[in-house]
Amino acid sequence: MLKIINGGVYDPLQGLSGQAGTICVGDDGKICDPPSDAAPCDIVDASGCAVMAGGVDIHSHIAGTKVNSARSMCPEDHYDHFKPHTDTTRAGTGFTVPTSFYTGYEYAGQGYTTVFEAAVPPLEARHAHEELLDVPIIDTGTYTLMGNNYMIMQILAEQDPVSRKERLRDLVSWLLTTTKGYAVKVVNPGGVESWKWAQGIQDLDTPVPPFGVTPRQIMTGLAETIRGLGLPHGMHLHCNHLGEAGNYITTLETMRALDGLPFHLTHLQFHAYGQSKKGTLKSAASELADYINGHPNVTFDVGQMVFGPATTMTADAPMQYRLHVVTGHKWINNDVEMESGAGVVPLQYKPKSLVNAIQWCVGLELLLLVKNAWQIILTTDHPNAGPFSAYPQIIRLLMDRDYRASQMEALNPRVGKYTVLAQLAREYTLEEIAIITRSAPAKTLGLPQRGNLRAGSCGDIAAYRIQEDKERMFREPAYVFKDGALVVRDGKAIKSPQGRRLLVEPDCGAVLPDDLVDEFHRYYSITLANFPVQEEYIPRPEVIACK
Amino acid sequence: MPVTIHKDIVCTFCGALCDDLEMHVENNKVIDVKNVCGIGRNKALHGDNDKPECRVYGERATLEEAYDASARMLAQARSPLVYGFSSTVAEANRVGVELAEILRGGLDNCSSYCHGPGVLARQHVGLPTCTLGEAKNRADLVVFWGANPMESHMRHFSRYSVQAKGMYTPLGRKDRKMAVVDVRPTPSSKNADLFFQVTPGSDYEIATVLRALVLEMPLPTLTDDSLVGGVPLARWRELVELIKQCKYCVVFFGIGLTQSQGKDLNVEQLIRLVSDCNRYTRVYAMPMRGHANVNGNNQVFVWQTGYPLAISFNRGYPRFNPGEFSVIDMLNRGDVDAAIIVATDPAAHLPYTAVDALKKIPTIVLDPVNSLTTEWANVVIPVATSGLSAAGTYYRMDNVPIRLRKIIDCEWPTDLEVLQNIKERVLNAKDH
């Protein structure tokens, strides 16, 4: 039994915002009510601390083929950032793409205890799962890429709506089960297939070669299927036209098309750009925020930009090629047969660059203009818009208006013409920070035992010393507990337990329809028997029930 | 004895990892193999025979004695080397890295002297690539540069590239063009529509000129008859036109490119060429990885340390410097005072100077079969054979991971079990 006493408890789900309280964790690693008898227990004094549930990252790139390709391509990311071996922790290197062990320690070191790898092609899922075995402390899960999957597009092109619906449900269920995925991820639907044909950019209603289905059909078809399967998390959507001036129109149209269906918009900052008269970027955060404020079921994570080095990596292969051409930086592409693609390009975001300065403002504007914190989730789309290690800095920008103003002074002076950030006075409260870093992501992911401190929830708890400098407060939690065990002290990991893998098991079975088995044999380069991710890669599964 | 038939078994010879083998097992022995090339067949039939003895300093020993002796040698060393791994599973690689970390030693794998330059080139310019199934389904042009798969990756043509029948290449060979760049005619080049027999060591020059042609830059000093790498410019123009007009091209490059004059610079220039071509159509490059899991070495080393090869933990954290921390250079300089070698045969592969250096220091070797190294290593530990008597993960040349199954029993432990045992003993030795 663990007792954390004297802390100010922040648990938005229970309406607690700093009230003094005691949090107890039983020997089963779950939070429990304080025992009536004087049972022996470890007591931790959290005086002066804000006690919160462990952080939950809904969208990050931490393991798998493209992440590891990025690590391999960028040794310059590692030389100056390293952690030596200790008796209880492994060594590691890397800043924007830390090595596996280092990633676990760094996340836990900020009080995060659950993190999702956001883009895994089915064929390479085994890699992501094997690598995640070497990410210590945190619980993890993976999203399975489906937005450019050949078999899905083939089924969507079928005429009979009843059979189409059933077959799609079986296929999505099979893909999630065989890849041990947690959610359906859609990236630039149709656009990656189009890239493989060396064709142009995909609008919502442009037919995708050679199937003739449109991105709109792919998104609505998948979102309806997700609703039918009752998956805990909606369609995790990276919209079309990422990074392009004027793309907010597509984003708005996408939200309208999916109205009433389960979906989550990821790294919205990259999809919230208007177009100036000269054709250049300007902020359209207000337009998107207006829509989101009127639609309380819409959730998004922000993908806030952070100045400094970043490594962009996404399944959006055509976008990465454009970035390579624009910057001249080195470029990895990886087309994945039948399923998806990927690209990696390293970048530097600079405050003096007008485009980067606008992007930085757009993210903060979204965070400040959307009123209900439960619709907002803090991410940097790690490491695309910056590393997750910058979360404490972003929290300070949100909580401290003066600090924000001082940081704005470093921006390209023309930024004011294209953004409204300078006029926004809102400051986040600690409760709101608790919402966007743990409670809202847990709720959006359908994880009732995470992101809150109710009895029965996981004993994943972070205690941050309350202080004026909020960046420092969130960078070095006094204590972090995983399943009730102390794993971090003063921001430093002191243990390497293995986390759990979060999975879903939709009840539509795990069998590929017969005609698709035939296709599989003909067009995949591995056999069907060797395709599913084996149990050996998931030693600590935690199945989250479908609705 | 009844014969058990195992289907969809993975071949563990080369980086193409064919996973459709059928193995017939009788009396705990593979007696027949179907869907396999000559080399793979040989490996499957004999990969678990000819086990070495467990020996310490030439004397027959128990496993416990061998573990103790290994741990002692490694714990006492000031600059131990952990090396090899190209023919064992990723799970053993993961413990191998940890062992090097605990020992504060050197860590390297066999890519150091095969496709390592390609890995370094990737650090300079990246790599536009695809999975092998994309080559099969989409590629209407395949190019082999310094590679001869007919003799090295024998089913590559039929499963993935030249003859493979895919979604948009239903006629296989008839739906494709094939070009080969090599220094001599090979069994592979005999199949080619275009064969460029080039002067040895001219790859960098050729790739540079090809880039200029792709980018339509002026080449004022060259005429159509000028020889570039021994081949007239007009013929290179022909190749460039073929690339520009194709729908999907994959350039497979081999050791002929990575280990000839220019090394990583050759690959770098080839990758730049391939990148440039993407302004017209989809063009990708892929290394023809040799040992079946040498890519898995790079993958595991990278996710645990950040670096693919040539690593030192002597400061407690990973540092990377090829030339300083590469296996051959470390041995040649006499920088190593004990070595543990897993799933490779340095006596057969490394230069004799490096082998001599190994012979002078305590050397531990884990091998499923007798090799040139097991003949003289100070500690020899026989192990189960990956893919026959040991399960685990291999990474194909295109980064696709496939799980090997265990289909026969073996009296000896797996590489993973041996490494874990030695690691525990080293930790205990260091504690006292």
Side-chain angles (χ1 to χ4, degrees):
Chain A
M1 168 77 68
L2 166 76
K3 249 187 198 175
I4 304 167
I5 58 168
N6 299 337
V9 179
Y10 287 83
D11 186 8
L13 200 72
Q14 300 187 85
L16 298 173
S17 53
Q19 288 88 333
T22 296
I23 305 291
C24 296
V25 184
D27 294 334
D28 61 352
K30 304 279 187 201
I31 293 174
C32 58
D33 293 323
S36 47
D37 55 352
C41 59
D42 295 329
I43 293 177
V44 173
D45 185 354
S47 302
C49 290
V51 177
M52 300 184 182
V56 178
D57 198 331
I58 199 170
H59 186 106
S60 184
H61 299 279
I62 55 169
T65 310
K66 73 181 173 326
V67 176
N68 216 33
S69 297
R71 279 191 198 106
S72 181
M73 176 170 69
C74 300
E76 68 277 11
D77 185 65
H78 314 326
Y79 298 134
D80 297 335
H81 302 273
F82 53 81
K83 177 199 162 312
H85 179 87
T86 72
D87 286 346
T88 54
T89 58
R90 295 284 305 273
T93 65
F95 179 59
T96 65
V97 203
T99 52
S100 59
F101 294 99
Y102 205 13
T103 299
Y105 301 137
E106 289 271 287
Y107 258 118
Q110 291 187 36
Y112 273 74
T113 48
T114 305
V115 179
F116 284 84
E117 159 55 51
V120 176
L123 185 62
E124 292 164 348
R126 208 174 336 271
H127 179 161
H129 285 295
E130 185 173 31
E131 201 178 314
L132 286 173
L133 291 175
D134 285 343
V135 177
I137 305 179
I138 56 177
D139 293 339
T140 52
T142 62
Y143 302 157
T144 305
L145 284 162
M146 299 195 194
N148 290 276
N149 185 295
Y150 171 86
M151 293 190 286
I152 282 177
M153 289 192 279
Q154 194 188 20
I155 287 179
L156 282 169
E158 287 173 13
Q159 294 304 317
D160 177 4
V162 178
S163 130
R164 188 170 68 214
K165 194 175 161 194
E166 275 175 21
R167 280 160 59 73
L168 195 59
R169 197 186 55 206
D170 290 349
L171 178 58
V172 169
S173 177
W174 177 79
L175 278 168
L176 280 173
T177 311
T178 50
T179 59
K180 304 268 192 271
Y182 184 77
V184 175
K185 174 75 183 296
V186 172
V187 172
N188 186 1
V192 183
E193 179 64 25
S194 181
W195 154 258
K196 294 180 186 177
W197 292 91
Q199 290 190 5
I201 287 163
Q202 216 60 49
D203 277 317
L204 287 191
D205 296 308
T206 318
V208 180
F211 315 97
V213 297
T214 62
R216 186 189 297 272
Q217 285 172 294
I218 296 172
M219 288 188 289
T220 50
L222 283 171
E224 282 165 7
T225 306
I226 289 163
R227 183 172 59 187
L229 288 169
L231 297 182
H233 184 41
M235 177 171 64
H236 198 93
L237 177 62
H238 159 144
C239 294
N240 301 74
H241 293 295
L242 185 146
E244 293 169 37
N247 64 8
Y248 83 98
I249 293 170
T250 304
T251 311
L252 273 178
E253 187 54 34
T254 302
M255 286 193 274
R256 288 193 190 106
L258 293 169
D259 192 26
L261 290 167
F263 72 100
H264 168 84
L265 294 173
T266 191
H267 41 68
L268 191 61
Q269 177 271 126
F270 284 124
H271 304 274
Y273 306 145
Q275 196 168 28
S276 71
K277 282 182 191 135
K278 288 183 193 158
T280 55
L281 218 61
K282 69 171 192 178
S283 172
S286 313
E287 287 85 341
L288 294 187
D290 283 348
Y291 184 91
I292 293 168
N293 284 333
H295 294 77
N297 288 330
V298 174
T299 58
F300 72 95
D301 65 83
V302 64
Q304 173 60 36
M305 173 173 291
V306 183
F307 293 120
T311 306
T312 65
M313 57 177 74
T314 163
D316 197 339
M319 206 283 300
Q320 291 294 55
Y321 177 65
R322 285 200 302 280
L323 215 49
H324 157 67
V325 171
V326 168
T327 62
H329 293 175
K330 51 192 175 184
W331 168 53
I332 283 174
N333 176 84
N334 186 24
D335 286 2
V336 182
E337 67 209 50
M338 309 290 288
E339 295 175 353
S340 185
V344 185
V345 177
L347 281 187
Q348 279 274 345
Y349 295 120
K350 297 173 184 164
K352 291 294 175 213
S353 149
L354 180 58
V355 169
N356 294 167
I358 293 170
Q359 292 176 301
W360 186 83
C361 293
V362 167
L364 290 171
E365 287 175 7
L366 285 169
L367 288 162
L368 296 168
L369 287 168
V370 173
K371 290 176 188 148
N372 179 2
W374 285 93
Q375 291 176 270
I376 305 171
I377 294 161
L378 177 62
T379 63
T380 56
D381 185 14
H382 166 82
N384 279 289
F388 66 81
S389 49
Y391 290 172
Q393 192 208 352
I394 301 169
I395 290 171
R396 186 174 176 197
L397 285 166
L398 294 174
M399 294 190 73
D400 184 341
R401 188 168 49 184
D402 295 338
Y403 175 67
R404 196 157 72 219
S406 73
Q407 293 298 297
M408 287 192 72
E409 282 168 19
L411 302 182
N412 184 307
R414 282 151 66 208
V415 75
K417 209 173 141 190
Y418 305 99
T419 60
V420 297
L421 182 62
Q423 294 137 47
L424 304 180
R426 180 176 169 192
E427 285 183 336
Y428 270 57
T429 61
L430 268 180
E431 188 187 6
E432 285 177 311
I433 294 297
I435 293 173
I436 68 168
T437 54
R438 44 266 289 160
S439 309
K443 179 169 177 257
T444 305
L445 284 158
L447 295 171
Q449 295 190 340
R450 286 174 173 74
N452 67 72
L453 298 168
R454 285 188 302 209
S457 289
C458 301
D460 300 350
I461 300 159
Y464 302 96
R465 284 188 196 89
I466 295 175
Q467 51 195 302
E468 193 55 34
D469 181 344
K470 295 297 182 287
E471 181 172 350
R472 203 158 153 221
M473 171 176 169
F474 283 93
R475 189 169 300 293
E476 283 183 7
Y479 308 102
V480 179
F481 302 89
K482 183 78 188 64
D483 300 317
L486 184 66
V487 289
V488 169
R489 236 187 140 136
D490 298 324
K492 298 272 180 301
I494 53 170
K495 267 192 197 156
S496 304
Q498 188 161 62
R500 283 183 290 260
R501 195 71 39 80
L502 300 168
L503 313 171
V504 289
E505 281 178 356
D507 56 10
C508 284
V511 182
L512 189 64
D514 281 347
D515 59 318
L516 294 178
V517 169
D518 214 39
E519 302 261 303
F520 193 106
H521 284 311
R522 265 187 290 167
Y523 302 135
Y524 265 98
S525 63
I526 77 172
T527 62
L528 186 55
N530 289 320
F531 185 75
V533 174
Q534 292 85 350
E535 310 270 318
E536 283 85 347
Y537 299 92
I538 322 281
R540 293 192 70 205
E542 179 180 341
V543 177
I544 304 297
C546 293
K547 291 168 202 162
Chain B
M1 284 292 279
V3 176
T4 318
I5 296 175
H6 299 270
K7 292 193 169 169
D8 302 318
I9 297 299
V10 186
C11 177
T12 55
F13 174 66
C14 79
L17 290 191
C18 301
D19 71 330
D20 60 340
L21 276 61
E22 185 179 304
M23 291 199 188
H24 297 216
V25 175
E26 185 184 34
N27 202 11
N28 203 37
K29 203 169 159 18
V30 178
I31 55 161
D32 195 11
V33 193
K34 300 255 174 21
N35 305 334
V36 70
C37 69
I39 311 173
R41 180 182 178 80
N42 205 42
K43 180 146 189 181
L45 289 176
H46 307 296
D48 223 34
N49 310 340
D50 192 24
K51 291 279 174 206
E53 261 185 343
C54 184
R55 287 192 297 270
V56 175
Y57 288 111
E59 300 289 328
R60 186 187 282 259
T62 64
L63 279 171
E64 293 297 314
E65 288 164 344
Y67 295 157
D68 284 338
S70 303
R72 210 163 36 239
M73 287 174 183
L74 293 170
Q76 284 170 357
R78 290 169 58 91
S79 176
L81 171 70
V82 180
Y83 163 68
F85 300 102
S86 61
S87 296
T88 190
V89 295
E91 289 78 355
N93 278 260
R94 286 162 56 205
V95 180
V97 178
E98 188 179 2
L99 179 62
E101 190 177 313
I102 291 164
L103 291 167
R104 297 174 76 114
L107 175 69
D108 204 2
N109 58 57
C110 305
S111 67
S112 204
Y113 51 84
C114 63
H115 271 279
V119 177
L120 302 186
R122 224 172 296 176
Q123 296 180 336
H124 305 156
V125 290
L127 178 72
T129 190
C130 61
T131 63
L132 285 166
E134 291 288 28
K136 159 175 146 169
N137 286 330
R138 295 175 192 268
D140 54 351
L141 173 62
V142 287
V143 180
F144 292 87
W145 193 318
N148 175 17
M150 284 288 277
E151 291 182 316
S152 60
H153 302 70
M154 295 167 86
R155 293 179 75 209
H156 194 279
F157 280 12
S158 61
R159 270 177 66 82
Y160 309 119
S161 58
V162 181
Q163 297 142 355
K165 291 178 179 169
M167 192 179 296
Y168 308 113
T169 53
L171 303 177
R173 181 68 182 91
K174 287 181 190 153
D175 278 334
R176 285 196 181 84
K177 291 270 193 256
M178 173 193 179
V180 170
V181 181
D182 214 327
V183 294
R184 66 178 79 83
T186 65
S188 300
S189 73
K190 287 193 185 109
N191 292 280
D193 298 298
L194 296 174
F195 173 48
F196 301 88
Q197 185 168 353
V198 301
T199 320
S202 60
D203 306 86
Y204 186 87
E205 179 192 355
I206 295 164
T208 308
V209 168
L210 286 174
R211 283 189 73 198
L213 293 174
V214 167
L215 298 172
E216 292 169 3
M217 293 164 78
L219 290 167
T221 58
L222 298 180
T223 67
D224 274 0
D225 300 330
S226 304
L227 294 182
V228 177
V231 175
L233 183 67
R235 289 207 59 218
W236 293 119
R237 274 191 208 287
E238 204 183 328
L239 178 62
V240 167
E241 282 315 305
L242 207 58
I243 292 175
K244 280 185 178 176
Q245 282 160 20
C246 80
K247 292 198 182 78
Y248 204 99
C249 168
V250 184
V251 182
F252 296 97
F253 60 94
I255 305 241
L257 187 71
T258 63
Q259 291 296 340
S260 60
Q261 184 187 316
K263 290 196 168 183
D264 48 319
L265 298 177
N266 296 339
V267 186
E268 183 179 324
Q269 195 67 318
L270 174 74
I271 293 172
R272 285 185 193 278
L273 166 66
V274 164
S275 302
D276 292 340
C277 291
N278 274 279
R279 64 182 62 191
Y280 301 103
T281 184
R282 292 293 81 90
V283 183
Y284 298 128
M286 194 188 301
M288 295 287 282
R289 303 306 296 263
H291 292 159
N293 197 31
V294 69
N295 184 20
N297 305 157
N298 294 142
Q299 296 290 346
V300 173
F301 284 23
V302 165
W303 87 54
Q304 290 206 359
T305 74
Y307 308 117
L309 51 100
I311 295 156
S312 170
F313 281 101
N314 66 2
R315 290 189 188 163
Y317 59 89
R319 289 189 301 147
F320 160 74
N321 198 6
E324 186 180 5
F325 305 135
S326 324
V327 55
I328 295 173
D329 306 80
M330 296 258 287
L331 289 170
N332 280 350
R333 280 196 310 269
D335 282 355
V336 180
D337 61 356
I340 177 163
I341 290 152
V342 185
T344 186
D345 184 6
H349 304 158
L350 298 189
Y352 74 90
T353 48
V355 178
D356 281 348
L358 268 180
K359 285 181 176 171
K360 287 183 194 138
I361 58 172
T363 297
I364 303 144
V365 65
L366 281 57
D367 206 311
V369 290
N370 274 308
S371 73
L372 293 181
T373 312
T374 58
E375 282 177 17
W376 49 259
N378 304 97
V379 177
V380 178
I381 304 180
V383 287
T385 306
S386 299
L388 290 177
S389 44
T393 320
Y394 267 34
Y395 286 76
R396 206 164 66 179
M397 59 167 72
D398 59 350
N399 302 333
V400 171
I402 307 182
R403 186 166 183 85
L404 315 181
R405 275 174 279 162
K406 176 183 176 212
I407 57 166
I408 55 177
D409 294 323
C410 174
E411 63 178 305
W412 299 106
T414 62
D415 290 308
L416 174 64
E417 289 162 344
V418 173
L419 287 166
Q420 273 168 336
N421 269 295
I422 294 176
K423 184 190 89 182
E424 294 304 325
R425 283 165 169 77
V426 167
L427 280 172
N428 288 337
K430 293 224 165 214
D431 281 347
H432 298 293

